[in-house]
Amino acid sequence: MTGIIHLENIRKSYYLGKQELPVLKGINIDIFKNEYVALMGPSGSGKSTLMNILGCLDSPTAGSYILNGKDVSGMPDNDLAEVRNKEIGFVFQQFNLLPRLTAAENVALPLIYSGIGKKERTERALEVLNRVKLDDRSQHKPNELSGGQCQGWLLHGL
Ligand SMILES: Nc1ncnc2c1ncn2[C@@H]1O[C@H](COP(=O)(O)OP(=O)(O)OP(=O)(O)O)[C@@H](O)[C@H]1O
Ligand SMILES: [Mg+2]
């Protein structure tokens, strides 16, 4: 049985000019539904590099990545963006919120790319903010929220 995340012999190198810097040298992983996995290793060992691939933010140099039955390893950026929108929830260390949008608008943003209308987007965003007890902060911008509040709504997602 293969996992919902299935990596086979994944390699990733960065190129500095012509010089190759191999970082991932043949990673094989299966992660199954409802599994919690922590990725640990020393600084510079390639955790962020691997997370960027798992999150479809970057493509591997070689190997195959089957996500939920779909081969995403060689996909062009536009298709990867769609996969990210549909399949991936990502909590970034630095939140990556848009500073000029309110909490409600930030939460609703991914739904625009899913083609959901404005009324439903707003309703669903407020519902999620309510769930994490941030409904009274819905009109605040990210810099008017605490670090934990910035993270809270992302963790719940839509
Ligand atoms: N864009 C890049 N171009 C070239 N080299 C890079 C790039 N990003 C990372 N590296 C190099 O790849 C290696 C792995 O980096 P990565 O960021 O994946 O490590 P990490 O395990 O997340 O480390 P940390 O625990 O410090 O966050 C490091 O040697 C780093 O210098
Ligand atoms: Mg890192």
mmCIF file with all atom_site columns, all heavy atoms in Angstrom, residues 110-131:
data_model
loop_
_atom_site.group_PDB
_atom_site.id
_atom_site.type_symbol
_atom_site.label_atom_id
_atom_site.label_alt_id
_atom_site.label_comp_id
_atom_site.label_asym_id
_atom_site.label_entity_id
_atom_site.label_seq_id
_atom_site.pdbx_PDB_ins_code
_atom_site.Cartn_x
_atom_site.Cartn_y
_atom_site.Cartn_z
_atom_site.occupancy
_atom_site.B_iso_or_equiv
_atom_site.pdbx_formal_charge
_atom_site.auth_seq_id
_atom_site.auth_comp_id
_atom_site.auth_asym_id
_atom_site.auth_atom_id
_atom_site.pdbx_PDB_model_num
ATOM 1   N N   . PRO A 1 110 ? -7.723  32.005 -0.370 1.00 0.00 ? 110 PRO A N   1
ATOM 2   C CA  . PRO A 1 110 ? -7.609  30.773 -1.179 1.00 0.00 ? 110 PRO A CA  1
ATOM 3   C C   . PRO A 1 110 ? -8.911  30.391 -1.866 1.00 0.00 ? 110 PRO A C   1
ATOM 4   O O   . PRO A 1 110 ? -8.893  29.728 -2.907 1.00 0.00 ? 110 PRO A O   1
ATOM 5   C CB  . PRO A 1 110 ? -7.234  29.695 -0.140 1.00 0.00 ? 110 PRO A CB  1
ATOM 6   C CG  . PRO A 1 110 ? -6.705  30.447 1.027  1.00 0.00 ? 110 PRO A CG  1
ATOM 7   C CD  . PRO A 1 110 ? -7.396  31.768 1.035  1.00 0.00 ? 110 PRO A CD  1
ATOM 8   N N   . LEU A 1 111 ? -10.032 30.818 -1.293 1.00 0.00 ? 111 LEU A N   1
ATOM 9   C CA  . LEU A 1 111 ? -11.330 30.465 -1.893 1.00 0.00 ? 111 LEU A CA  1
ATOM 10  C C   . LEU A 1 111 ? -11.569 31.189 -3.207 1.00 0.00 ? 111 LEU A C   1
ATOM 11  O O   . LEU A 1 111 ? -12.334 30.715 -4.047 1.00 0.00 ? 111 LEU A O   1
ATOM 12  C CB  . LEU A 1 111 ? -12.464 30.773 -0.905 1.00 0.00 ? 111 LEU A CB  1
ATOM 13  C CG  . LEU A 1 111 ? -12.424 29.986 0.408  1.00 0.00 ? 111 LEU A CG  1
ATOM 14  C CD1 . LEU A 1 111 ? -13.547 30.436 1.327  1.00 0.00 ? 111 LEU A CD1 1
ATOM 15  C CD2 . LEU A 1 111 ? -12.526 28.501 0.144  1.00 0.00 ? 111 LEU A CD2 1
ATOM 16  N N   . ILE A 1 112 ? -10.909 32.342 -3.383 1.00 0.00 ? 112 ILE A N   1
ATOM 17  C CA  . ILE A 1 112 ? -11.025 33.047 -4.668 1.00 0.00 ? 112 ILE A CA  1
ATOM 18  C C   . ILE A 1 112 ? -10.497 32.124 -5.761 1.00 0.00 ? 112 ILE A C   1
ATOM 19  O O   . ILE A 1 112 ? -11.108 31.954 -6.810 1.00 0.00 ? 112 ILE A O   1
ATOM 20  C CB  . ILE A 1 112 ? -10.200 34.356 -4.672 1.00 0.00 ? 112 ILE A CB  1
ATOM 21  C CG1 . ILE A 1 112 ? -10.772 35.334 -3.653 1.00 0.00 ? 112 ILE A CG1 1
ATOM 22  C CG2 . ILE A 1 112 ? -10.177 34.979 -6.076 1.00 0.00 ? 112 ILE A CG2 1
ATOM 23  C CD1 . ILE A 1 112 ? -10.026 36.655 -3.575 1.00 0.00 ? 112 ILE A CD1 1
ATOM 24  N N   . TYR A 1 113 ? -9.333  31.499 -5.470 1.00 0.00 ? 113 TYR A N   1
ATOM 25  C CA  . TYR A 1 113 ? -8.702  30.634 -6.477 1.00 0.00 ? 113 TYR A CA  1
ATOM 26  C C   . TYR A 1 113 ? -9.473  29.336 -6.669 1.00 0.00 ? 113 TYR A C   1
ATOM 27  O O   . TYR A 1 113 ? -9.269  28.626 -7.632 1.00 0.00 ? 113 TYR A O   1
ATOM 28  C CB  . TYR A 1 113 ? -7.240  30.369 -6.105 1.00 0.00 ? 113 TYR A CB  1
ATOM 29  C CG  . TYR A 1 113 ? -6.460  31.656 -5.988 1.00 0.00 ? 113 TYR A CG  1
ATOM 30  C CD1 . TYR A 1 113 ? -6.121  32.184 -4.756 1.00 0.00 ? 113 TYR A CD1 1
ATOM 31  C CD2 . TYR A 1 113 ? -6.107  32.360 -7.135 1.00 0.00 ? 113 TYR A CD2 1
ATOM 32  C CE1 . TYR A 1 113 ? -5.435  33.384 -4.654 1.00 0.00 ? 113 TYR A CE1 1
ATOM 33  C CE2 . TYR A 1 113 ? -5.424  33.558 -7.051 1.00 0.00 ? 113 TYR A CE2 1
ATOM 34  C CZ  . TYR A 1 113 ? -5.089  34.068 -5.805 1.00 0.00 ? 113 TYR A CZ  1
ATOM 35  O OH  . TYR A 1 113 ? -4.425  35.253 -5.720 1.00 0.00 ? 113 TYR A OH  1
ATOM 36  N N   . SER A 1 114 ? -10.332 29.012 -5.708 1.00 0.00 ? 114 SER A N   1
ATOM 37  C CA  . SER A 1 114 ? -11.178 27.819 -5.882 1.00 0.00 ? 114 SER A CA  1
ATOM 38  C C   . SER A 1 114 ? -12.460 28.179 -6.612 1.00 0.00 ? 114 SER A C   1
ATOM 39  O O   . SER A 1 114 ? -13.334 27.329 -6.769 1.00 0.00 ? 114 SER A O   1
ATOM 40  C CB  . SER A 1 114 ? -11.563 27.222 -4.532 1.00 0.00 ? 114 SER A CB  1
ATOM 41  O OG  . SER A 1 114 ? -10.444 26.928 -3.781 1.00 0.00 ? 114 SER A OG  1
ATOM 42  N N   . GLY A 1 115 ? -12.610 29.448 -6.987 1.00 0.00 ? 115 GLY A N   1
ATOM 43  C CA  . GLY A 1 115 ? -13.776 29.868 -7.757 1.00 0.00 ? 115 GLY A CA  1
ATOM 44  C C   . GLY A 1 115 ? -15.051 29.996 -6.936 1.00 0.00 ? 115 GLY A C   1
ATOM 45  O O   . GLY A 1 115 ? -16.158 29.889 -7.476 1.00 0.00 ? 115 GLY A O   1
ATOM 46  N N   . ILE A 1 116 ? -14.920 30.264 -5.642 1.00 0.00 ? 116 ILE A N   1
ATOM 47  C CA  . ILE A 1 116 ? -16.110 30.403 -4.792 1.00 0.00 ? 116 ILE A CA  1
ATOM 48  C C   . ILE A 1 116 ? -16.510 31.883 -4.707 1.00 0.00 ? 116 ILE A C   1
ATOM 49  O O   . ILE A 1 116 ? -15.659 32.769 -4.567 1.00 0.00 ? 116 ILE A O   1
ATOM 50  C CB  . ILE A 1 116 ? -15.825 29.789 -3.407 1.00 0.00 ? 116 ILE A CB  1
ATOM 51  C CG1 . ILE A 1 116 ? -15.734 28.271 -3.581 1.00 0.00 ? 116 ILE A CG1 1
ATOM 52  C CG2 . ILE A 1 116 ? -16.884 30.174 -2.384 1.00 0.00 ? 116 ILE A CG2 1
ATOM 53  C CD1 . ILE A 1 116 ? -15.267 27.514 -2.412 1.00 0.00 ? 116 ILE A CD1 1
ATOM 54  N N   . GLY A 1 117 ? -17.811 32.137 -4.818 1.00 0.00 ? 117 GLY A N   1
ATOM 55  C CA  . GLY A 1 117 ? -18.321 33.515 -4.883 1.00 0.00 ? 117 GLY A CA  1
ATOM 56  C C   . GLY A 1 117 ? -18.095 34.303 -3.597 1.00 0.00 ? 117 GLY A C   1
ATOM 57  O O   . GLY A 1 117 ? -17.857 33.729 -2.532 1.00 0.00 ? 117 GLY A O   1
ATOM 58  N N   . LYS A 1 118 ? -18.206 35.659 -3.737 1.00 0.00 ? 118 LYS A N   1
ATOM 59  C CA  . LYS A 1 118 ? -17.823 36.544 -2.632 1.00 0.00 ? 118 LYS A CA  1
ATOM 60  C C   . LYS A 1 118 ? -18.643 36.304 -1.364 1.00 0.00 ? 118 LYS A C   1
ATOM 61  O O   . LYS A 1 118 ? -18.101 36.265 -0.258 1.00 0.00 ? 118 LYS A O   1
ATOM 62  C CB  . LYS A 1 118 ? -17.978 37.993 -3.104 1.00 0.00 ? 118 LYS A CB  1
ATOM 63  C CG  . LYS A 1 118 ? -17.570 38.972 -2.030 1.00 0.00 ? 118 LYS A CG  1
ATOM 64  C CD  . LYS A 1 118 ? -16.992 40.238 -2.594 1.00 0.00 ? 118 LYS A CD  1
ATOM 65  C CE  . LYS A 1 118 ? -16.254 40.922 -1.469 1.00 0.00 ? 118 LYS A CE  1
ATOM 66  N NZ  . LYS A 1 118 ? -16.463 42.237 -1.220 1.00 0.00 ? 118 LYS A NZ  1
ATOM 67  N N   . LYS A 1 119 ? -19.951 36.137 -1.536 1.00 0.00 ? 119 LYS A N   1
ATOM 68  C CA  . LYS A 1 119 ? -20.815 36.007 -0.360 1.00 0.00 ? 119 LYS A CA  1
ATOM 69  C C   . LYS A 1 119 ? -20.411 34.779 0.459  1.00 0.00 ? 119 LYS A C   1
ATOM 70  O O   . LYS A 1 119 ? -20.215 34.852 1.668  1.00 0.00 ? 119 LYS A O   1
ATOM 71  C CB  . LYS A 1 119 ? -22.265 35.906 -0.828 1.00 0.00 ? 119 LYS A CB  1
ATOM 72  C CG  . LYS A 1 119 ? -23.271 35.892 0.281  1.00 0.00 ? 119 LYS A CG  1
ATOM 73  C CD  . LYS A 1 119 ? -24.659 36.286 -0.241 1.00 0.00 ? 119 LYS A CD  1
ATOM 74  C CE  . LYS A 1 119 ? -25.702 36.143 0.846  1.00 0.00 ? 119 LYS A CE  1
ATOM 75  N NZ  . LYS A 1 119 ? -26.039 34.739 1.145  1.00 0.00 ? 119 LYS A NZ  1
ATOM 76  N N   . GLU A 1 120 ? -20.243 33.650 -0.249 1.00 0.00 ? 120 GLU A N   1
ATOM 77  C CA  . GLU A 1 120 ? -19.879 32.414 0.448  1.00 0.00 ? 120 GLU A CA  1
ATOM 78  C C   . GLU A 1 120 ? -18.481 32.497 1.047  1.00 0.00 ? 120 GLU A C   1
ATOM 79  O O   . GLU A 1 120 ? -18.237 32.010 2.155  1.00 0.00 ? 120 GLU A O   1
ATOM 80  C CB  . GLU A 1 120 ? -19.974 31.213 -0.514 1.00 0.00 ? 120 GLU A CB  1
ATOM 81  C CG  . GLU A 1 120 ? -19.847 29.899 0.236  1.00 0.00 ? 120 GLU A CG  1
ATOM 82  C CD  . GLU A 1 120 ? -19.816 28.664 -0.660 1.00 0.00 ? 120 GLU A CD  1
ATOM 83  O OE1 . GLU A 1 120 ? -20.297 28.748 -1.804 1.00 0.00 ? 120 GLU A OE1 1
ATOM 84  O OE2 . GLU A 1 120 ? -19.296 27.625 -0.184 1.00 0.00 ? 120 GLU A OE2 1
ATOM 85  N N   . ARG A 1 121 ? -17.587 33.180 0.322  1.00 0.00 ? 121 ARG A N   1
ATOM 86  C CA  . ARG A 1 121 ? -16.211 33.335 0.841  1.00 0.00 ? 121 ARG A CA  1
ATOM 87  C C   . ARG A 1 121 ? -16.238 34.055 2.181  1.00 0.00 ? 121 ARG A C   1
ATOM 88  O O   . ARG A 1 121 ? -15.611 33.628 3.151  1.00 0.00 ? 121 ARG A O   1
ATOM 89  C CB  . ARG A 1 121 ? -15.364 34.185 -0.122 1.00 0.00 ? 121 ARG A CB  1
ATOM 90  C CG  . ARG A 1 121 ? -14.955 33.501 -1.376 1.00 0.00 ? 121 ARG A CG  1
ATOM 91  C CD  . ARG A 1 121 ? -13.721 34.161 -1.988 1.00 0.00 ? 121 ARG A CD  1
ATOM 92  N NE  . ARG A 1 121 ? -13.806 35.576 -2.267 1.00 0.00 ? 121 ARG A NE  1
ATOM 93  C CZ  . ARG A 1 121 ? -14.189 36.097 -3.427 1.00 0.00 ? 121 ARG A CZ  1
ATOM 94  N NH1 . ARG A 1 121 ? -14.550 35.312 -4.426 1.00 0.00 ? 121 ARG A NH1 1
ATOM 95  N NH2 . ARG A 1 121 ? -14.214 37.393 -3.616 1.00 0.00 ? 121 ARG A NH2 1
ATOM 96  N N   . THR A 1 122 ? -16.976 35.149 2.224  1.00 0.00 ? 122 THR A N   1
ATOM 97  C CA  . THR A 1 122 ? -17.036 35.961 3.447  1.00 0.00 ? 122 THR A CA  1
ATOM 98  C C   . THR A 1 122 ? -17.660 35.155 4.575  1.00 0.00 ? 122 THR A C   1
ATOM 99  O O   . THR A 1 122 ? -17.148 35.144 5.697  1.00 0.00 ? 122 THR A O   1
ATOM 100 C CB  . THR A 1 122 ? -17.866 37.235 3.176  1.00 0.00 ? 122 THR A CB  1
ATOM 101 O OG1 . THR A 1 122 ? -17.334 37.831 1.996  1.00 0.00 ? 122 THR A OG1 1
ATOM 102 C CG2 . THR A 1 122 ? -17.787 38.216 4.328  1.00 0.00 ? 122 THR A CG2 1
ATOM 103 N N   . GLU A 1 123 ? -18.739 34.465 4.268  1.00 0.00 ? 123 GLU A N   1
ATOM 104 C CA  . GLU A 1 123 ? -19.409 33.667 5.302  1.00 0.00 ? 123 GLU A CA  1
ATOM 105 C C   . GLU A 1 123 ? -18.480 32.608 5.877  1.00 0.00 ? 123 GLU A C   1
ATOM 106 O O   . GLU A 1 123 ? -18.377 32.443 7.091  1.00 0.00 ? 123 GLU A O   1
ATOM 107 C CB  . GLU A 1 123 ? -20.634 32.959 4.707  1.00 0.00 ? 123 GLU A CB  1
ATOM 108 C CG  . GLU A 1 123 ? -21.857 33.848 4.636  1.00 0.00 ? 123 GLU A CG  1
ATOM 109 C CD  . GLU A 1 123 ? -22.982 33.207 3.803  1.00 0.00 ? 123 GLU A CD  1
ATOM 110 O OE1 . GLU A 1 123 ? -22.907 31.977 3.519  1.00 0.00 ? 123 GLU A OE1 1
ATOM 111 O OE2 . GLU A 1 123 ? -23.882 33.944 3.424  1.00 0.00 ? 123 GLU A OE2 1
ATOM 112 N N   . ARG A 1 124 ? -17.796 31.903 4.967  1.00 0.00 ? 124 ARG A N   1
ATOM 113 C CA  . ARG A 1 124 ? -16.919 30.808 5.437  1.00 0.00 ? 124 ARG A CA  1
ATOM 114 C C   . ARG A 1 124 ? -15.736 31.346 6.220  1.00 0.00 ? 124 ARG A C   1
ATOM 115 O O   . ARG A 1 124 ? -15.302 30.750 7.207  1.00 0.00 ? 124 ARG A O   1
ATOM 116 C CB  . ARG A 1 124 ? -16.469 29.945 4.257  1.00 0.00 ? 124 ARG A CB  1
ATOM 117 C CG  . ARG A 1 124 ? -17.610 29.014 3.825  1.00 0.00 ? 124 ARG A CG  1
ATOM 118 C CD  . ARG A 1 124 ? -17.319 28.258 2.570  1.00 0.00 ? 124 ARG A CD  1
ATOM 119 N NE  . ARG A 1 124 ? -16.187 27.353 2.674  1.00 0.00 ? 124 ARG A NE  1
ATOM 120 C CZ  . ARG A 1 124 ? -15.818 26.545 1.684  1.00 0.00 ? 124 ARG A CZ  1
ATOM 121 N NH1 . ARG A 1 124 ? -16.489 26.537 0.544  1.00 0.00 ? 124 ARG A NH1 1
ATOM 122 N NH2 . ARG A 1 124 ? -14.785 25.760 1.826  1.00 0.00 ? 124 ARG A NH2 1
ATOM 123 N N   . ALA A 1 125 ? -15.208 32.505 5.794  1.00 0.00 ? 125 ALA A N   1
ATOM 124 C CA  . ALA A 1 125 ? -14.071 33.100 6.514  1.00 0.00 ? 125 ALA A CA  1
ATOM 125 C C   . ALA A 1 125 ? -14.495 33.483 7.930  1.00 0.00 ? 125 ALA A C   1
ATOM 126 O O   . ALA A 1 125 ? -13.787 33.202 8.901  1.00 0.00 ? 125 ALA A O   1
ATOM 127 C CB  . ALA A 1 125 ? -13.557 34.316 5.755  1.00 0.00 ? 125 ALA A CB  1
ATOM 128 N N   . LEU A 1 126 ? -15.671 34.082 8.059  1.00 0.00 ? 126 LEU A N   1
ATOM 129 C CA  . LEU A 1 126 ? -16.131 34.506 9.387  1.00 0.00 ? 126 LEU A CA  1
ATOM 130 C C   . LEU A 1 126 ? -16.419 33.303 10.283 1.00 0.00 ? 126 LEU A C   1
ATOM 131 O O   . LEU A 1 126 ? -16.139 33.327 11.481 1.00 0.00 ? 126 LEU A O   1
ATOM 132 C CB  . LEU A 1 126 ? -17.371 35.400 9.275  1.00 0.00 ? 126 LEU A CB  1
ATOM 133 C CG  . LEU A 1 126 ? -17.084 36.789 8.676  1.00 0.00 ? 126 LEU A CG  1
ATOM 134 C CD1 . LEU A 1 126 ? -18.365 37.609 8.521  1.00 0.00 ? 126 LEU A CD1 1
ATOM 135 C CD2 . LEU A 1 126 ? -16.055 37.561 9.517  1.00 0.00 ? 126 LEU A CD2 1
ATOM 136 N N   . GLU A 1 127 ? -16.928 32.253 9.665  1.00 0.00 ? 127 GLU A N   1
ATOM 137 C CA  . GLU A 1 127 ? -17.201 31.025 10.413 1.00 0.00 ? 127 GLU A CA  1
ATOM 138 C C   . GLU A 1 127 ? -15.906 30.441 11.003 1.00 0.00 ? 127 GLU A C   1
ATOM 139 O O   . GLU A 1 127 ? -15.853 30.045 12.166 1.00 0.00 ? 127 GLU A O   1
ATOM 140 C CB  . GLU A 1 127 ? -17.801 30.042 9.409  1.00 0.00 ? 127 GLU A CB  1
ATOM 141 C CG  . GLU A 1 127 ? -18.517 28.846 9.959  1.00 0.00 ? 127 GLU A CG  1
ATOM 142 C CD  . GLU A 1 127 ? -18.964 27.983 8.773  1.00 0.00 ? 127 GLU A CD  1
ATOM 143 O OE1 . GLU A 1 127 ? -19.782 28.477 7.955  1.00 0.00 ? 127 GLU A OE1 1
ATOM 144 O OE2 . GLU A 1 127 ? -18.447 26.853 8.649  1.00 0.00 ? 127 GLU A OE2 1
ATOM 145 N N   . VAL A 1 128 ? -14.851 30.448 10.165 1.00 0.00 ? 128 VAL A N   1
ATOM 146 C CA  . VAL A 1 128 ? -13.565 29.909 10.630 1.00 0.00 ? 128 VAL A CA  1
ATOM 147 C C   . VAL A 1 128 ? -12.967 30.805 11.712 1.00 0.00 ? 128 VAL A C   1
ATOM 148 O O   . VAL A 1 128 ? -12.448 30.319 12.724 1.00 0.00 ? 128 VAL A O   1
ATOM 149 C CB  . VAL A 1 128 ? -12.593 29.766 9.437  1.00 0.00 ? 128 VAL A CB  1
ATOM 150 C CG1 . VAL A 1 128 ? -11.190 29.472 9.926  1.00 0.00 ? 128 VAL A CG1 1
ATOM 151 C CG2 . VAL A 1 128 ? -13.049 28.640 8.532  1.00 0.00 ? 128 VAL A CG2 1
ATOM 152 N N   . LEU A 1 129 ? -13.051 32.109 11.506 1.00 0.00 ? 129 LEU A N   1
ATOM 153 C CA  . LEU A 1 129 ? -12.523 33.028 12.532 1.00 0.00 ? 129 LEU A CA  1
ATOM 154 C C   . LEU A 1 129 ? -13.284 32.850 13.843 1.00 0.00 ? 129 LEU A C   1
ATOM 155 O O   . LEU A 1 129 ? -12.705 32.889 14.927 1.00 0.00 ? 129 LEU A O   1
ATOM 156 C CB  . LEU A 1 129 ? -12.621 34.481 12.046 1.00 0.00 ? 129 LEU A CB  1
ATOM 157 C CG  . LEU A 1 129 ? -11.602 34.844 10.962 1.00 0.00 ? 129 LEU A CG  1
ATOM 158 C CD1 . LEU A 1 129 ? -11.889 36.235 10.394 1.00 0.00 ? 129 LEU A CD1 1
ATOM 159 C CD2 . LEU A 1 129 ? -10.176 34.796 11.505 1.00 0.00 ? 129 LEU A CD2 1
ATOM 160 N N   . ASN A 1 130 ? -14.563 32.627 13.732 1.00 0.00 ? 130 ASN A N   1
ATOM 161 C CA  . ASN A 1 130 ? -15.398 32.386 14.904 1.00 0.00 ? 130 ASN A CA  1
ATOM 162 C C   . ASN A 1 130 ? -14.933 31.127 15.646 1.00 0.00 ? 130 ASN A C   1
ATOM 163 O O   . ASN A 1 130 ? -14.832 31.112 16.866 1.00 0.00 ? 130 ASN A O   1
ATOM 164 C CB  . ASN A 1 130 ? -16.853 32.250 14.423 1.00 0.00 ? 130 ASN A CB  1
ATOM 165 C CG  . ASN A 1 130 ? -17.820 32.207 15.578 1.00 0.00 ? 130 ASN A CG  1
ATOM 166 O OD1 . ASN A 1 130 ? -17.481 32.645 16.680 1.00 0.00 ? 130 ASN A OD1 1
ATOM 167 N ND2 . ASN A 1 130 ? -19.005 31.672 15.354 1.00 0.00 ? 130 ASN A ND2 1
ATOM 168 N N   . ARG A 1 131 ? -14.608 30.099 14.858 1.00 0.00 ? 131 ARG A N   1
ATOM 169 C CA  . ARG A 1 131 ? -14.180 28.829 15.451 1.00 0.00 ? 131 ARG A CA  1
ATOM 170 C C   . ARG A 1 131 ? -12.899 28.986 16.268 1.00 0.00 ? 131 ARG A C   1
ATOM 171 O O   . ARG A 1 131 ? -12.673 28.272 17.229 1.00 0.00 ? 131 ARG A O   1
ATOM 172 C CB  . ARG A 1 131 ? -13.962 27.800 14.334 1.00 0.00 ? 131 ARG A CB  1
ATOM 173 C CG  . ARG A 1 131 ? -14.714 26.510 14.576 1.00 0.00 ? 131 ARG A CG  1
ATOM 174 C CD  . ARG A 1 131 ? -14.333 25.457 13.558 1.00 0.00 ? 131 ARG A CD  1
ATOM 175 N NE  . ARG A 1 131 ? -14.868 25.751 12.235 1.00 0.00 ? 131 ARG A NE  1
ATOM 176 C CZ  . ARG A 1 131 ? -14.352 25.299 11.099 1.00 0.00 ? 131 ARG A CZ  1
ATOM 177 N NH1 . ARG A 1 131 ? -13.269 24.542 11.112 1.00 0.00 ? 131 ARG A NH1 1
ATOM 178 N NH2 . ARG A 1 131 ? -14.889 25.593 9.946  1.00 0.00 ? 131 ARG A NH2 1
#
